[in-house]
Amino acid sequence: MHIAAGWMLLIGTASPPLGAVGPNEMRENPVSYCGDMAGLLCGTKRKKQVSDLHEEGKNAINAPMLPSGTDIHPEDTLLEENAERLMLDPTSRENLKFKDLLKVLIDWINSELEEERIIVKDLEEDCYDGQVLQKLFEKLSGRKLNVAEVTQSEIGQKQKLQTVLEAVNDLLRPHGWTIEWSVDSIHSKNLVAIVYLLVALAMHFQAPIRLPEHVSVQVVVVKKREGILQTALVTKELTSTTEMMMGRFERDAFDTLLDHAPDKLNVVKTSLITFVNKHLNKLNLEVTELESQFADGVYLILLMGLLEDYFVPLYNFFLTPESFEQKVHNVAFAFELMQDGGLKKPKARPEDVVNLNLKSTLRVLYNLFTNYKNTE
């Protein structure tokens, strides 16, 4: 009777459809009416189950098994025929080398755009609308682009991106770059496309940074073929070896030295050791191994204080660093002191010096030698 009473309320507020049982008939034969209603409810439920099963089957066909933890958003499936979309696999997003690459690129952009008072914190959220990319390209190339300064609408943002990317592509294509980005991929916050673009710009303009080597990520590629979505997991190489990446640049003296005249390396190391000890001896300190004794950053900081004739407060750095992070902090702080002294930002990365990369340490010390060799 509870079901019948519920339907009585419904029928009382609306005219029964053609062929439906009326209130009088329901009162005269309630058992028959309840049976009819139960059949109607079961039939509706069965139809919904069949519809859900059909939809589930269609989704299973259209979206084959994806890597665990991968989410495909609705907008990722709205593809034209033969179109494809790339999405970063969640496990790659947590890769330490990939995170390191993101940090290097963010620090580089912020350094380049410091005068514009632009601070980038997240590449996906800060680069998709074209504003940061426009300012970065203009700073690196010295070329002013004819675009609106502020664009709020999606159409305006894509128009700006189109202009910026056309200028970038015209610059890079003649040098053999493969274009791994597009207006749609950048505007849809595709992190892999954004990183490809920034790495290409950093390498082309010989940015004073050291990109982490052998950074690869896995991406989910979604394609539409004959109306059916197909997915695949693909590995994308974002950076290679430093030597190969620097091969696009003009190689410096240390590349040539280590590759073609290793016998002269000891002569260079001896000269640099003599230079640093000339100053560190004032604090009763002495260096015998360049790559290891500068790896924690302490001697670099003290050396800068001696060369510039000031005392570095001990609270600014770790005098006895224990962790990798503390050592990186020290080396990065020493680099800041060098820039404060008028030197260019070292091309070496603090992490490379901490990791005992001889070439990086030699570059840093040779830069000091050329600028302070006559300092007493």
Side-chain angles (χ1 to χ4, degrees):
M1 291 301 293
H2 176 71
I3 296 176
W7 278 90
M8 281 177 66
L9 291 174
L10 270 172
I11 295 170
T13 58
S15 300
L18 185 64
V21 179
N24 294 331
E25 293 170 284
M26 182 191 71
R27 282 195 296 268
E28 293 173 2
N29 192 358
V31 175
S32 174
Y33 179 78
C34 288
D36 291 341
M37 288 301 99
L40 178 62
L41 288 171
C42 289
T44 303
K45 184 177 181 181
R46 280 196 299 271
K47 288 180 181 179
K48 185 177 188 306
Q49 289 174 338
V50 170
S51 176
D52 289 346
L53 187 61
H54 175 72
E55 187 67 26
E56 184 180 347
K58 185 173 70 173
N59 291 338
I61 294 173
N62 287 352
M65 186 175 293
L66 293 172
S68 177
T70 301
D71 294 324
I72 289 189
H73 301 289
E75 60 270 20
D76 293 323
T77 64
L78 300 176
L79 300 176
E80 299 292 334
E81 184 65 21
N82 296 320
E84 69 177 38
R85 181 163 293 171
L86 277 65
M87 295 166 288
L88 182 64
D89 183 62
T91 56
S92 290
R93 189 179 288 272
E94 297 304 314
N95 182 281
L96 293 180
K97 292 180 71 173
F98 181 61
K99 285 185 173 182
D100 187 20
L101 176 60
L102 297 185
K103 183 180 183 304
V104 170
L105 292 173
I106 288 173
D107 290 346
W108 169 58
I109 294 173
N110 289 334
S111 175
E112 292 290 344
L113 301 182
E114 185 177 7
E115 295 179 358
E116 298 282 347
R117 297 186 178 181
I118 292 176
I119 299 177
V120 171
K121 295 182 179 179
D122 185 288
L123 293 181
E124 291 165 291
E125 296 298 329
D126 296 333
C127 293
Y128 82 96
D129 62 358
Q131 181 75 7
V132 170
L133 293 177
Q134 172 212 340
K135 295 297 183 183
L136 180 63
F137 179 78
E138 289 179 341
K139 173 68 185 303
L140 296 173
S141 66
R143 172 186 167 190
K144 184 71 174 176
L145 298 178
N146 184 23
V147 293
E149 280 300 312
V150 180
T151 52
Q152 297 294 338
S153 69
E154 179 178 336
I155 294 176
Q157 291 170 353
K158 287 189 172 183
Q159 287 175 341
K160 172 178 280 192
L161 271 174
Q162 182 72 35
T163 301
V164 174
L165 295 185
E166 282 179 358
V168 171
N169 297 347
D170 289 345
L171 181 70
L172 297 181
R173 272 201 186 99
H175 295 275
W177 287 98
T178 300
I179 306 304
E180 298 277 0
W181 51 85
S182 65
V183 171
D184 288 336
S185 63
I186 299 294
H187 194 267
S188 64
K189 302 180 183 179
N190 184 319
L191 184 56
V192 176
I194 294 172
V195 170
Y196 263 127
L197 173 59
L198 293 174
V199 168
L201 288 173
M203 291 171 63
H204 180 81
F205 286 103
Q206 304 183 31
I209 57 176
R210 306 295 289 183
L211 297 170
E213 296 183 322
H214 296 301
V215 180
S216 295
V217 294
Q218 289 190 316
V219 297
V220 180
V221 181
V222 182
K223 299 180 181 180
K224 179 171 283 189
R225 295 289 184 270
E226 298 181 355
I228 298 177
L229 291 179
Q230 302 174 351
T231 62
L233 198 62
V234 177
T235 299
K236 292 285 187 178
E237 185 183 62
L238 300 175
T239 67
S240 56
T241 65
T242 299
E243 284 70 21
M244 291 181 65
M245 290 187 288
M246 292 297 290
R248 292 181 178 269
F249 305 160
E250 183 178 327
R251 291 164 61 82
D252 66 14
F254 288 103
D255 290 305
T256 304
L257 181 67
L258 269 68
D259 291 347
H260 304 293
D263 55 309
K264 296 181 179 178
L265 179 60
N266 285 332
V267 177
V268 174
K269 291 173 68 174
T270 300
S271 299
L272 292 177
I273 287 175
T274 301
F275 164 71
V276 297
N277 281 337
K278 172 185 174 182
H279 299 282
L280 289 176
N281 286 164
K282 299 172 185 176
L283 299 177
N284 294 322
L285 300 173
E286 186 171 2
V287 169
T288 56
E289 291 291 334
L290 292 179
E291 54 265 61
S292 61
Q293 288 183 271
F294 284 98
D296 63 7
V298 175
Y299 278 12
L300 275 179
I301 294 171
L302 297 177
L303 182 59
M304 280 306 304
L306 290 166
L307 293 172
E308 287 288 332
D309 195 24
Y310 56 69
F311 174 76
V312 182
L314 297 181
Y315 59 77
N316 280 329
F317 65 100
F318 298 95
L319 188 59
T320 56
E322 298 178 355
S323 67
F324 180 82
E325 290 73 19
Q326 291 177 349
K327 294 176 183 178
V328 170
H329 168 86
N330 281 357
V331 177
F333 178 59
F335 285 5
E336 291 178 15
L337 296 181
M338 294 174 195
Q339 290 177 269
D340 290 343
L343 279 69
K344 291 184 178 180
K345 185 177 181 178
K347 287 190 175 183
R349 299 167 57 241
E351 292 82 358
D352 293 334
V353 175
V354 175
N355 284 325
L356 308 180
N357 184 295
L358 177 59
K359 202 181 297 186
S360 296
T361 304
L362 289 177
R363 284 190 177 98
V364 173
L365 294 176
Y366 187 75
N367 193 29
L368 295 179
F369 174 75
T370 56
N371 284 272
Y372 296 101
K373 58 185 176 183
N374 296 322
T375 301
E376 292 299 328

